[in-house]
């Protein structure tokens, strides 16, 4: 597949990114186990490097993932390849690296006041001079405070600390408010074959923003490797009741209905789920979580097949009882 543009930045990224949440290892957000279980750092580094060798040049991490551990692994893995990759990370929470714990700031003003220090910490963790895409991680940040936050981000752009910025949010109105910033080029939001986001995609297409897609495989539910009976480790975020109800179970419930279409032409289920996202909109960039070389091979293998065909997309709309779109 051809590369896609990161919004109106002019930066070309691979159609598939690597989500680096899982390589952060165990950590806690508020009272929730927010990691994906134990990790092997050597395997994580091999996975990042293999992803680049397999055609993936876009890597998405966050200050919270392992409270800095994911950023450090990404930086270590790509130390000699900085000119070949596009690095995205996120900010907005109060991160305690020693305790492996992240909490909310009490006010929007505190979030804004912390941006510069958070940026410097992420740059140190990544061992890089510039962050390509710096994203607000607080999905419900009050949009009335967006102008003040945009001022800080624009200052960081002028200083060369970041190149562009975006917001990780599922709120279309929040995304619209942030897009007022000159260097805002992306929105990160949930999107997968079962969980469509038509209003957000329409906004991204209209405003020339990249749609960076988290949960493109519904946290593994669309890979066929798990079922509703799967028991995840206690320190795995997939034990969180919200994730089970809103991401995992909806995908489990419809997977068999979609299997034949998603696996058409020799695709795996994961490859078919990614192919749906590419066909859904020209601005989408899915970032499935990856932590092993084997997962890289499965996900990157989707690039050989490309998007689903228009008639397959219409069949999926009909199967899921959605409005049938024009593709």
């Amino acid at each position: 597949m051809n590369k896609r543009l990161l919004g109106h930045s002019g930066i070309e990224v691979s159609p598939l990114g690597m989500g680096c949440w899982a390589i952060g290892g165990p950590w806690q957000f508020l009272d929730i186990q927010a990691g994906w279980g134990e990790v092997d750092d050597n395997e994580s580094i091999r996975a990042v490097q293999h992803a680049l060798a397999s055609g993936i040049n876009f890597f998405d991490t966050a200050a919270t993932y392992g409270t800095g551990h994911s950023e450090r692994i990404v930086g270590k893995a790509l130390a000699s390849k900085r000119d070949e990759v596009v690095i995205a990370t996120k900010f907005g929470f109060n991160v305690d690296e020693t305790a492996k714990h992240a909490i909310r700031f009490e006010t929007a003003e505190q979030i804004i006041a912390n941006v510069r220090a958070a940026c410097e910490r992420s740059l140190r963790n990544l061992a890089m001079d510039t962050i390509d895409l710096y994203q607000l991680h607080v999905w419900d940040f009050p949009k009335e405070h967006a102008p003040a936050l945009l001022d800080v981000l624009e200052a960081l752009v002028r200083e060369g600390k970041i190149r562009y910025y975006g917001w990780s949010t599922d709120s279309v109105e929040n995304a619209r408010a942030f897009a007022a910033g000159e260097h805002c080029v992306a929105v990160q939001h949930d999107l997968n074959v079962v969980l469509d986001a038509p209003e957000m995609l329409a906004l991204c297409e209209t405003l020339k923003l990249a749609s960076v897609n988290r949960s493109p495989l519904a946290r593994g539910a669309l890979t066929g490797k798990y079922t509703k009976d799967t028991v995840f480790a206690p320190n795995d975020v997939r034990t969180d009741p919200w994730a089970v109800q809103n991401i995992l179970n909806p995908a489990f419930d419809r997977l068999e209905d979609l299997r034949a279409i998603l696996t058409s032409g020799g695709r795996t289920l994961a490859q078919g789920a990614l192919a749906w996202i590419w066909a859904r909109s020209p601005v989408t960039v899915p970032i499935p979580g990856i932590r092993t070389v084997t997962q890289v091979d499965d996900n990157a293998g989707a690039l050989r097949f490309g998007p689903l065909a228009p008639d397959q997309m219409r069949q999926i709309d009909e199967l899921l009882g959605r409005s049938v779109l024009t593709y």
Side-chain angles (χ1 to χ4, degrees):
M1 288 182 64
N2 294 326
K3 289 187 176 181
R4 295 194 162 190
L5 288 174
L6 190 66
H8 55 81
S9 69
I11 296 175
E12 289 188 330
V13 295
S14 49
L16 179 70
M18 175 173 171
C20 299
W21 182 0
I23 65 174
W27 60 285
Q28 188 169 323
F29 176 68
L30 302 178
D31 59 349
I32 299 169
Q33 293 299 319
W36 292 64
E38 301 298 327
V39 290
D40 177 341
D41 288 346
N42 290 327
E43 177 66 11
S44 297
I45 290 170
R46 284 192 291 269
V48 172
Q49 294 173 339
H50 189 56
L52 179 58
S54 301
I56 296 171
N57 78 336
F58 182 52
F59 297 86
D60 178 87
T61 182
T64 52
Y65 298 165
T67 60
H69 189 69
S70 174
E71 289 180 327
R72 287 190 288 273
I73 292 297
V74 169
K76 184 175 181 179
L78 299 173
S80 63
K81 304 290 186 179
R82 181 64 183 96
D83 293 341
E84 301 176 31
V85 296
V86 179
I87 302 297
T89 192
K90 310 181 197 72
F91 70 96
F93 292 112
N94 189 355
V95 177
D96 185 334
E97 294 190 33
T98 302
K100 291 287 184 182
H101 191 209
I103 60 174
R104 288 177 175 270
F105 285 105
E106 293 183 3
T107 67
E109 289 83 0
Q110 287 179 326
I111 293 173
I112 295 168
N114 185 253
V115 173
R116 186 172 293 277
C119 182
E120 294 290 353
R121 183 170 60 247
S122 288
L123 287 169
R124 288 194 301 272
N125 287 342
L126 291 162
M128 296 176 181
D129 297 326
T130 304
I131 295 164
D132 297 307
L133 179 64
Y134 201 41
Q135 302 159 102
L136 174 61
H137 208 176
V138 185
W139 45 89
D140 56 356
F141 181 83
K143 67 179 181 181
E144 60 268 24
H145 291 274
L149 179 53
L150 292 173
D151 286 344
V152 178
L153 293 170
E154 287 293 336
L156 291 173
V157 172
R158 290 193 296 272
E159 296 165 20
K161 302 291 185 181
I162 66 175
R163 297 177 68 188
Y164 297 94
Y165 52 82
W167 193 346
S168 180
T169 181
D170 292 304
S171 166
V172 174
E173 290 309 307
N174 282 357
R176 190 187 307 277
F178 223 57
E182 179 183 355
H183 290 86
C184 179
V185 299
V187 181
Q188 185 169 145
H189 63 98
D190 283 335
L191 182 72
N192 61 57
V193 62
V194 174
L195 182 65
D196 198 2
E199 292 183 1
M200 186 67 85
L201 289 172
L203 179 78
C204 289
E205 291 174 9
T206 299
L207 300 183
K208 294 182 171 56
L209 302 172
S211 163
V212 179
N213 312 127
R214 44 178 152 81
S215 298
L217 303 179
R219 301 193 182 182
L222 291 171
T223 66
K225 299 174 184 176
Y226 310 105
T227 70
K228 282 187 175 181
D229 296 324
T230 299
V231 177
F232 294 103
N235 60 356
D236 191 314
V237 70
R238 288 172 289 187
T239 61
D240 173 32
W242 183 93
V244 172
Q245 179 179 349
N246 293 283
I247 297 179
L248 292 163
N249 281 351
F252 286 138
D253 289 341
R254 303 312 302 263
L255 184 58
E256 289 309 311
D257 297 333
L258 302 173
R259 182 181 293 272
I261 298 174
L262 297 183
T263 58
S264 62
R267 294 181 175 95
T268 66
L269 277 168
Q271 291 167 353
L274 295 171
W276 178 89
I277 289 178
W278 290 325
R280 181 63 182 83
S281 169
V283 301
T284 52
V285 183
I287 50 167
I290 294 173
R291 56 178 166 177
T292 68
V293 168
T294 299
Q295 289 173 332
V296 171
D297 286 335
D298 188 15
N299 291 328
L303 295 168
R304 299 196 315 271
F305 296 99
L308 291 180
D311 64 319
Q312 294 175 311
M313 297 294 286
R314 290 190 288 269
Q315 289 175 44
I316 288 173
D317 285 340
E318 292 171 355
L319 282 170
L320 297 181
R322 298 195 294 233
S323 297
V324 179
L325 302 178
T326 301
Y327 297 97

